[in-house]
Amino acid sequence: MDRLDAMLGDAINGTFEVSDYDETELSRFESKFQQYISAKEVSEEKINREREAIKSLVSDISHQTKTPLANVLLYSQLLEERCNDEELKPYVQQIRMQAEKLQFLIRSLIRISRLESGMIEPKREEQLLAPLLEEAVGLATGKASEKNIVIWAEQPEEIKAFYDLHWTLEALGNILDNAIKYSPKESRITVSVQAFEMFVCITVKDEGPGISEEEQAQIFERFYRGKNAVSQEGSGIGLYLSRMILQKEKGYIRVSSNEEKGSSFHIYLLRA
């Protein structure tokens, strides 16, 4: 037992070496243990090489698609402005809209790939929640006003949490965007905050069609779109990205909903 304990300690410290081999069971175990450690090191090297390859691929995709997509958007906007043919104009508008959708999709997939491969890690800092809510609601207000939707947000002046402002703003923004998208005109979206012992919960409540119980476990999967999302524009990666960001920040997200009675998305961030 003393020798086994010493072997495990050496393996943890990366200093394990096989002692003189003999015919004892302990020596045979020691030899197999060395083979296992060697195989594990080879596997880790392979994973690191694959991770580096993914990083390089993501960087190439980001670089190679940026300029062509920007050009497609630019020329489609110019065509839309100068097109005097009322029959052709809807087709030009569709080109612009689809190019914008493709640009959003590629940017989102690149963000997901960077998070999944470890290229980017959210930098959590102890900070107030008020700036996060203020900026997120401010960015969402323009889109909400198009449907005469009112966004009411609580102002938690003294509540702090550990989070990355940029990435958490992305996660919260996706939740608000969905709330606006699926809420009826002239409805209300409420953003509230509740502090618990270990977490701070940000709740976004809408008055939309709600989510069935069987779908609630699936909506955070990549590319999943529920039955109420068929008639709406979207790619099905916003909630997946939000969940991934919060997991990277040691938080989590959950949903509570009843069909025809709206949905509440609860974002949990570690408390300071």
Side-chain angles (χ1 to χ4, degrees):
M1 292 301 297
D2 289 340
R3 178 57 190 148
L4 289 174
D5 182 67
M7 288 166 58
L8 290 173
D10 291 343
I12 292 171
N13 296 325
T15 59
F16 177 79
E17 292 182 1
V18 178
S19 59
D20 293 337
Y21 182 79
D22 54 35
E23 294 299 326
T24 63
E25 291 186 6
L26 180 59
S27 187
R28 288 196 296 272
F29 175 79
E30 192 174 18
S31 179
K32 289 184 178 180
F33 193 52
Q34 175 64 49
Q35 294 175 25
Y36 166 75
I37 292 174
S38 299
K40 183 173 178 293
E41 290 174 350
V42 171
S43 178
E44 288 178 349
E45 289 178 4
K46 183 180 179 181
I47 291 172
N48 288 333
R49 287 197 300 269
E50 290 177 350
R51 184 179 289 114
E52 290 301 319
I54 291 173
K55 289 181 180 180
S56 177
L57 178 62
V58 170
S59 296
D60 288 343
I61 292 173
S62 177
H63 177 72
Q64 297 296 335
T65 58
K66 186 180 296 184
T67 302
L69 267 175
N71 288 337
V72 171
L73 280 170
L74 175 63
Y75 291 131
S76 63
Q77 289 168 358
L78 290 173
L79 279 173
E80 187 176 357
E81 290 173 0
R82 299 185 181 186
C83 182
N84 297 320
D85 192 326
E86 293 301 323
E87 292 184 2
L88 290 176
K89 198 163 187 177
Y91 298 104
V92 176
Q93 291 173 340
Q94 279 297 317
I95 292 173
R96 176 185 56 78
M97 290 169 60
Q98 294 303 317
E100 290 175 349
K101 185 177 178 180
L102 180 60
Q103 186 181 54
F104 171 80
L105 179 61
I106 290 176
R107 285 178 176 174
S108 297
L109 289 173
I110 288 171
R111 290 190 188 101
I112 290 172
S113 297
R114 286 175 171 168
L115 287 168
E116 287 180 335
S117 63
M119 291 176 66
I120 295 175
E121 288 289 339
K123 297 179 180 178
R124 296 183 301 145
E125 297 179 0
E126 180 184 355
Q127 51 191 318
L128 293 168
L129 280 180
L132 169 67
L133 299 185
E134 183 179 350
E135 189 167 355
V137 171
L139 291 172
T141 299
K143 191 171 182 179
S145 63
E146 296 175 4
K147 298 175 67 174
N148 291 326
I149 294 174
V150 175
I151 302 178
W152 180 89
E154 187 177 344
Q155 296 298 321
E157 297 181 359
E158 301 299 328
I159 299 179
K160 293 183 178 181
F162 281 103
Y163 67 94
D164 181 308
L165 179 59
H166 171 77
W167 284 104
T168 312
L169 182 63
E170 175 95 15
L172 181 56
N174 289 338
I175 303 300
L176 284 169
D177 185 68
N178 273 8
I180 295 168
K181 187 184 299 182
Y182 297 110
S183 292
K185 293 181 178 180
E186 299 181 354
S187 60
R188 178 187 177 95
I189 295 172
T190 303
V191 183
S192 59
V193 178
Q194 188 174 3
F196 297 100
E197 184 176 353
M198 293 183 62
F199 291 92
V200 173
C201 177
I202 303 171
T203 299
V204 177
K205 187 179 187 307
D206 63 51
E207 298 176 356
I211 304 167
S212 64
E213 187 174 349
E214 58 269 20
E215 284 188 312
Q216 290 178 24
Q218 299 174 289
I219 59 173
F220 296 106
E221 296 176 4
R222 181 161 38 186
F223 299 121
Y224 180 82
R225 303 199 72 205
K227 62 183 181 181
N228 292 326
V230 176
S231 60
Q232 298 287 344
E233 287 288 332
S235 57
I237 59 177
L239 291 178
Y240 176 82
L241 180 57
S242 295
R243 187 191 70 172
M244 181 179 297
I245 291 169
L246 293 167
Q247 286 177 342
K248 289 281 186 178
E249 294 184 323
K250 310 300 181 185
Y252 64 98
I253 183 172
R254 68 178 185 87
V255 62
S256 56
S257 178
N258 293 312
E259 288 190 270
E260 308 301 331
K261 294 184 180 180
S263 303
S264 295
F265 284 84
H266 310 279
I267 294 174
Y268 289 85
L269 301 171
L270 279 175
R271 284 194 67 181

